[in-house]
Amino acid sequence: MTQNPEVVDFIAAIKEPWQRELAVRLRDVVHQALPDALERIQYKKPHFLKNGKYAAVISTSKDAVSFTIFNVTGLILPEGLFEGPPERKTIKIRQGNEVDMDQLLSLVRQAAETL
């Protein structure tokens, strides 16, 4: 995994400890699923690319961490967990929510197969 210093700094600057820890875990999920993912800051948030195409994005808001997976058309997603247009889906994780990281890992891996 190649760590982009801008992404390292972005995550380190997240003020809420639970959001920072979750962002680290989500970043690890992406790199487990896509060991060759390129990461960069774009639109003021970490983006992860495979073959020059978006695979995932992490963003934070006041009370949540959002994780977007691209290229999900045709994937079977858990009911009620994700929102967004057919080609990309976002999960909003709030403090205290349980997240199945293995499930996210599997979804990122599947979505990126055709990138």
Side-chain angles (χ1 to χ4, degrees), residues 7-67:
V7 174
V8 172
D9 292 345
F10 176 93
I11 292 173
I14 297 172
K15 288 183 177 32
E16 289 292 329
W18 74 268
Q19 288 181 315
R20 188 172 46 251
E21 178 186 310
L22 182 55
V24 167
R25 290 174 59 206
L26 291 169
R27 182 185 192 201
D28 288 345
V29 162
V30 173
H31 285 290
Q32 285 177 44
L34 309 169
D36 58 346
L38 172 70
E39 55 180 35
R40 68 179 179 204
I41 296 293
Q42 188 171 356
Y43 308 113
K44 299 181 182 177
K45 54 190 132 188
H47 284 66
F48 303 87
L49 296 90
K50 178 182 175 190
N51 297 325
K53 296 179 182 171
Y54 293 124
V57 176
I58 298 170
S59 62
T60 58
S61 63
K62 183 178 176 181
D63 67 343
V65 175
S66 296
F67 184 63

